[in-house]
Amino acid sequence: MTRKLYYEDAYMKEAKAKVLEVKDNALLLDQTIFYPTGGGQPHDRGTINGVEVLDVYKDEKGNVWHVVEEPEKFRPNDEVELRIDWNYRYKLMRIHSALHLLEHVLNVVLPDKWEPYGSGMSEEKGRLDVVYPENINQWKNEIVETFNRLVDEGGEMKIWWEGETRYTQIRDFEVIPCGGTHVRNIREIGHLKKFKRSSLGKGKQRLEIWLED
């Protein structure tokens, strides 16, 4: 199975690897810093030996494949150099971490229990779909203020494995199973620039967040 360096150090921007297999337009490497699409987080961008990486995905065996623009430039046993688009990755790390913090803030602010319905993110914004009987907009100011206060206070994002499951926890808040990449300290997230709520019908609501640069 591919050694997943992005789990060992999410701040690693460059690494060396060996090509194990070339299949169609995709490369299988012995190790990688490229995060594959999964859990609502898009795959990393970047280059392998200067060749653009177009897609990154994980197969059923847990191996990570890298779809590249010019696969004919690679052969098995080649030693290659990996470089991710760090600005893009770091934005996703901040937004992914912000969604975890938002979940905690909802637990603190909302008077009744809410249920997650889905989530996703891009480099511009994060999305959390929830089930809640009342319009969450009535708590908008309190949500934003609580979020920003916690960011200012800071706190470690702890990550550990139990068997095949990876967990994350902000400070002593909720323990959440998650396979994404996160910041080390929630101060890195930054303040909320915008919070938007929209209805998905039948008690389902979409919460979208944008972060300050």
Side-chain angles (χ1 to χ4, degrees), residues 159-169 175-178:
I159 297 168
W160 70 94
W161 290 85
E162 293 182 15
E164 295 296 311
T165 305
R166 185 171 178 265
Y167 293 93
T168 183
Q169 181 184 32
V175 174
I176 300 172
C178 183

Side-chain angles (χ1 to χ4, degrees), residues 4 13-15 25 38 41 89 117-119 135 139 143 147:
K4 299 169 179 65
K13 306 172 184 67
E14 300 179 7
N25 59 346
Q41 182 173 329
R89 155 74 82 78
Y117 177 62
S119 65
N135 187 330
W139 293 282
I143 289 170
F147 185 102

Side-chain angles (χ1 to χ4, degrees), residues 4-163:
K4 299 169 179 65
L5 298 175
Y6 51 82
Y7 279 157
E8 298 177 25
D9 181 3
Y11 289 76
M12 193 180 294
K13 306 172 184 67
E14 300 179 7
K16 295 188 184 301
K18 184 162 76 171
V19 178
L20 300 180
E21 187 179 345
V22 181
K23 184 172 68 175
D24 298 326
N25 59 346
L27 310 179
L28 177 63
L29 309 176
D30 64 337
Q31 59 182 16
T32 187
I33 53 175
F34 282 86
Y35 183 85
T37 300
Q41 182 173 329
H43 66 82
D44 282 328
R45 299 172 181 170
T47 61
I48 299 176
N49 276 7
V51 175
E52 185 179 358
V53 174
L54 305 174
D55 190 13
V56 188
Y57 65 91
K58 193 160 57 173
D59 66 20
E60 64 280 357
K61 296 179 181 177
N63 287 312
V64 178
W65 292 85
H66 309 71
V67 178
V68 293
E69 194 168 40
E70 300 170 280
E72 67 276 3
K73 290 189 173 181
F74 300 93
R75 296 285 184 274
N77 296 315
D78 282 355
E79 296 287 337
V80 293
E81 190 164 310
L82 319 180
R83 283 196 176 93
I84 60 169
D85 180 336
W86 172 245
N87 288 334
Y88 177 74
R89 155 74 82 78
Y90 191 55
K91 286 178 181 177
L92 292 174
M93 286 168 58
R94 290 174 59 220
I95 289 171
H96 197 146
S97 304
L99 289 174
H100 288 314
L101 183 58
L102 178 61
E103 291 184 25
H104 172 71
V105 170
L106 294 180
N107 288 337
V108 170
V109 172
L110 299 182
D112 298 308
K113 185 174 174 60
W114 63 277
E115 296 290 340
Y117 177 62
S119 65
M121 70 197 76
S122 67
E123 62 181 316
E124 288 87 21
K125 64 180 180 178
R127 168 182 62 82
L128 182 63
D129 297 336
V130 303
V131 178
Y132 195 73
E134 298 183 64
N135 187 330
I136 291 177
N137 252 351
Q138 59 190 300
W139 293 282
K140 176 179 178 178
N141 290 340
E142 191 176 351
I143 289 170
V144 173
E145 288 169 4
T146 303
F147 185 102
N148 290 342
R149 174 177 57 79
L150 290 171
V151 165
D152 288 340
E153 291 175 1
E156 181 189 4
M157 288 199 74
K158 298 182 284 287
I159 297 168
W160 70 94
W161 290 85
E162 293 182 15

Side-chain angles (χ1 to χ4, degrees), residues 170-183:
I170 297 172
R171 283 166 44 173
D172 60 349
F173 302 160
E174 301 81 3
V175 174
I176 300 172
C178 183
T181 57
H182 309 92
V183 296

